[in-house]
Every structure is written in C-alpha cells, then in structure tokens.
Amino acid sequence: MQSAEGKLARSCVLQALRCYSTAVQDMEQTVMLPSLLREVLCEEDPDQAAADEDLYECYLRLKDIRAVVESGLVLVDDHRVKAHQALDRTLEPLLEAEPEAVFHFHLKGLLSVIGNLTKKSQAVTAKYLDIVGLTN
C-alpha cells in the first residue's frame, strides 16, 4: 500500500510531466518553420552551459527530451555519458545518505528540471510567435 506522501509525489511528478509534454506539443504545433529559429540565441543566464545554443537546437533538444520522457527509452550519447559520469562522482556522498533523503533530493531536482524545461518550451513558442509577428 502506498503512503499518502508517495501518492502525492507521484501525482506531482505526473502533473509536471503532463505540463511539459503539453508545452512541447504546443511548441511543435506553433512552430511551423523551425528553421526560423536558427541563429536566434536563447535568452538565458550567461552562466548556463547552453548559453551559446540557438533556439533551433533548443527546439530539437526539447522534442528529444519529450520523446525520452514519453517512451522511457534513454538514448546513449558518448559525449553526454562522460558528463554524466563526472556528475555521478560528485553525487557519490549522497548515495550514502538515507534512502528517503535521496528520494526527496532527486524528486526536488526532477521537478525543478521539468519545470525549467516547460518554461523553456513556452519561451521558444513565444519567441517564434514574436519572430513571425503573431504576438500582441
């Protein structure tokens, strides 16, 4: 039997994933000419790693992530594997913590990432509408 906290966490994650999937679907339906997003830089914090990424690359990445979220199949990319291995080494002390603390840490991180991806999808959609002159 699941605890109330477990049901709430699952509901919260499912809702966040639905919001993300809907935002990407909205983006795909709105962006009829993705090539218009080429060479339009993302308006992100300069501290973020993807600051040099254009909106076209961002558009493709958001669609790829949605495909992974919906299918559950994780594609292996050698370049990203090395980055993940470095991240795993920095998180090793966390693995020695209580399982409940690890769960809450990852749940909070997952919800944060999904929220950021949802906002990014909405931003790409808004920028595309701005480019084609369909905003207010």
Side-chain angles (χ1 to χ4, degrees), residues 125-136:
T125 303
K127 186 65 176 179
Y128 177 82
L129 289 172
D130 188 44
I131 290 169
V132 297
L134 295 176
T135 57
N136 296 339

PDB file of all heavy atoms in Angstrom, residues 125-136:
ATOM      1  N   THR A 125       8.245  28.893 -27.947  1.00  0.00           N
ATOM      2  CA  THR A 125       6.970  29.163 -28.619  1.00  0.00           C
ATOM      3  C   THR A 125       6.717  30.663 -28.705  1.00  0.00           C
ATOM      4  O   THR A 125       6.384  31.192 -29.771  1.00  0.00           O
ATOM      5  CB  THR A 125       5.808  28.473 -27.878  1.00  0.00           C
ATOM      6  OG1 THR A 125       6.075  27.071 -27.791  1.00  0.00           O
ATOM      7  CG2 THR A 125       4.488  28.695 -28.577  1.00  0.00           C
ATOM      8  N   ALA A 126       6.901  31.360 -27.596  1.00  0.00           N
ATOM      9  CA  ALA A 126       6.672  32.814 -27.566  1.00  0.00           C
ATOM     10  C   ALA A 126       7.635  33.549 -28.496  1.00  0.00           C
ATOM     11  O   ALA A 126       7.229  34.473 -29.216  1.00  0.00           O
ATOM     12  CB  ALA A 126       6.813  33.334 -26.140  1.00  0.00           C
ATOM     13  N   LYS A 127       8.893  33.144 -28.506  1.00  0.00           N
ATOM     14  CA  LYS A 127       9.884  33.792 -29.371  1.00  0.00           C
ATOM     15  C   LYS A 127       9.558  33.546 -30.833  1.00  0.00           C
ATOM     16  O   LYS A 127       9.686  34.449 -31.666  1.00  0.00           O
ATOM     17  CB  LYS A 127      11.288  33.275 -29.031  1.00  0.00           C
ATOM     18  CG  LYS A 127      12.381  34.009 -29.773  1.00  0.00           C
ATOM     19  CD  LYS A 127      12.445  35.466 -29.363  1.00  0.00           C
ATOM     20  CE  LYS A 127      13.612  36.153 -30.036  1.00  0.00           C
ATOM     21  NZ  LYS A 127      13.696  37.563 -29.701  1.00  0.00           N
ATOM     22  N   TYR A 128       9.123  32.345 -31.174  1.00  0.00           N
ATOM     23  CA  TYR A 128       8.744  32.045 -32.557  1.00  0.00           C
ATOM     24  C   TYR A 128       7.579  32.934 -32.978  1.00  0.00           C
ATOM     25  O   TYR A 128       7.583  33.505 -34.076  1.00  0.00           O
ATOM     26  CB  TYR A 128       8.372  30.574 -32.717  1.00  0.00           C
ATOM     27  CG  TYR A 128       7.916  30.226 -34.105  1.00  0.00           C
ATOM     28  CD1 TYR A 128       8.836  29.971 -35.110  1.00  0.00           C
ATOM     29  CD2 TYR A 128       6.564  30.167 -34.428  1.00  0.00           C
ATOM     30  CE1 TYR A 128       8.429  29.671 -36.397  1.00  0.00           C
ATOM     31  CE2 TYR A 128       6.144  29.871 -35.709  1.00  0.00           C
ATOM     32  CZ  TYR A 128       7.075  29.619 -36.693  1.00  0.00           C
ATOM     33  OH  TYR A 128       6.661  29.326 -37.951  1.00  0.00           O
ATOM     34  N   LEU A 129       6.579  33.047 -32.113  1.00  0.00           N
ATOM     35  CA  LEU A 129       5.428  33.915 -32.424  1.00  0.00           C
ATOM     36  C   LEU A 129       5.871  35.348 -32.604  1.00  0.00           C
ATOM     37  O   LEU A 129       5.342  36.065 -33.468  1.00  0.00           O
ATOM     38  CB  LEU A 129       4.374  33.802 -31.324  1.00  0.00           C
ATOM     39  CG  LEU A 129       3.624  32.456 -31.283  1.00  0.00           C
ATOM     40  CD1 LEU A 129       2.745  32.392 -30.036  1.00  0.00           C
ATOM     41  CD2 LEU A 129       2.809  32.239 -32.540  1.00  0.00           C
ATOM     42  N   ASP A 130       6.846  35.772 -31.829  1.00  0.00           N
ATOM     43  CA  ASP A 130       7.395  37.112 -31.957  1.00  0.00           C
ATOM     44  C   ASP A 130       8.116  37.275 -33.302  1.00  0.00           C
ATOM     45  O   ASP A 130       7.957  38.289 -33.987  1.00  0.00           O
ATOM     46  CB  ASP A 130       8.356  37.394 -30.793  1.00  0.00           C
ATOM     47  CG  ASP A 130       8.821  38.832 -30.747  1.00  0.00           C
ATOM     48  OD1 ASP A 130       7.973  39.730 -30.926  1.00  0.00           O
ATOM     49  OD2 ASP A 130      10.032  39.039 -30.544  1.00  0.00           O
ATOM     50  N   ILE A 131       8.886  36.260 -33.692  1.00  0.00           N
ATOM     51  CA  ILE A 131       9.627  36.304 -34.959  1.00  0.00           C
ATOM     52  C   ILE A 131       8.682  36.422 -36.147  1.00  0.00           C
ATOM     53  O   ILE A 131       8.918  37.176 -37.073  1.00  0.00           O
ATOM     54  CB  ILE A 131      10.537  35.060 -35.091  1.00  0.00           C
ATOM     55  CG1 ILE A 131      11.699  35.133 -34.105  1.00  0.00           C
ATOM     56  CG2 ILE A 131      11.068  34.912 -36.525  1.00  0.00           C
ATOM     57  CD1 ILE A 131      12.488  33.842 -33.989  1.00  0.00           C
ATOM     58  N   VAL A 132       7.602  35.651 -36.113  1.00  0.00           N
ATOM     59  CA  VAL A 132       6.665  35.659 -37.253  1.00  0.00           C
ATOM     60  C   VAL A 132       5.642  36.788 -37.141  1.00  0.00           C
ATOM     61  O   VAL A 132       4.797  36.940 -38.020  1.00  0.00           O
ATOM     62  CB  VAL A 132       5.965  34.289 -37.468  1.00  0.00           C
ATOM     63  CG1 VAL A 132       6.970  33.225 -37.819  1.00  0.00           C
ATOM     64  CG2 VAL A 132       5.149  33.894 -36.264  1.00  0.00           C
ATOM     65  N   GLY A 133       5.708  37.556 -36.056  1.00  0.00           N
ATOM     66  CA  GLY A 133       4.849  38.737 -35.907  1.00  0.00           C
ATOM     67  C   GLY A 133       3.436  38.422 -35.458  1.00  0.00           C
ATOM     68  O   GLY A 133       2.512  39.176 -35.772  1.00  0.00           O
ATOM     69  N   LEU A 134       3.254  37.365 -34.692  1.00  0.00           N
ATOM     70  CA  LEU A 134       1.908  36.989 -34.229  1.00  0.00           C
ATOM     71  C   LEU A 134       1.670  37.288 -32.753  1.00  0.00           C
ATOM     72  O   LEU A 134       0.723  36.790 -32.178  1.00  0.00           O
ATOM     73  CB  LEU A 134       1.650  35.513 -34.507  1.00  0.00           C
ATOM     74  CG  LEU A 134       1.594  35.127 -35.986  1.00  0.00           C
ATOM     75  CD1 LEU A 134       1.436  33.629 -36.129  1.00  0.00           C
ATOM     76  CD2 LEU A 134       0.471  35.848 -36.695  1.00  0.00           C
ATOM     77  N   THR A 135       2.546  38.076 -32.135  1.00  0.00           N
ATOM     78  CA  THR A 135       2.339  38.418 -30.723  1.00  0.00           C
ATOM     79  C   THR A 135       1.639  39.757 -30.636  1.00  0.00           C
ATOM     80  O   THR A 135       1.609  40.540 -31.582  1.00  0.00           O
ATOM     81  CB  THR A 135       3.683  38.489 -29.967  1.00  0.00           C
ATOM     82  OG1 THR A 135       4.534  39.435 -30.599  1.00  0.00           O
ATOM     83  CG2 THR A 135       4.335  37.137 -29.907  1.00  0.00           C
ATOM     84  N   ASN A 136       1.108  40.004 -29.463  1.00  0.00           N
ATOM     85  CA  ASN A 136       0.374  41.269 -29.255  1.00  0.00           C
ATOM     86  C   ASN A 136       1.270  42.454 -29.264  1.00  0.00           C
ATOM     87  O   ASN A 136       2.238  42.638 -28.774  1.00  0.00           O
ATOM     88  CB  ASN A 136      -0.395  41.209 -27.930  1.00  0.00           C
ATOM     89  CG  ASN A 136      -1.467  40.139 -27.968  1.00  0.00           C
ATOM     90  OD1 ASN A 136      -1.898  39.710 -29.021  1.00  0.00           O
ATOM     91  ND2 ASN A 136      -1.869  39.692 -26.811  1.00  0.00           N
TER      92      ASN A 136
END
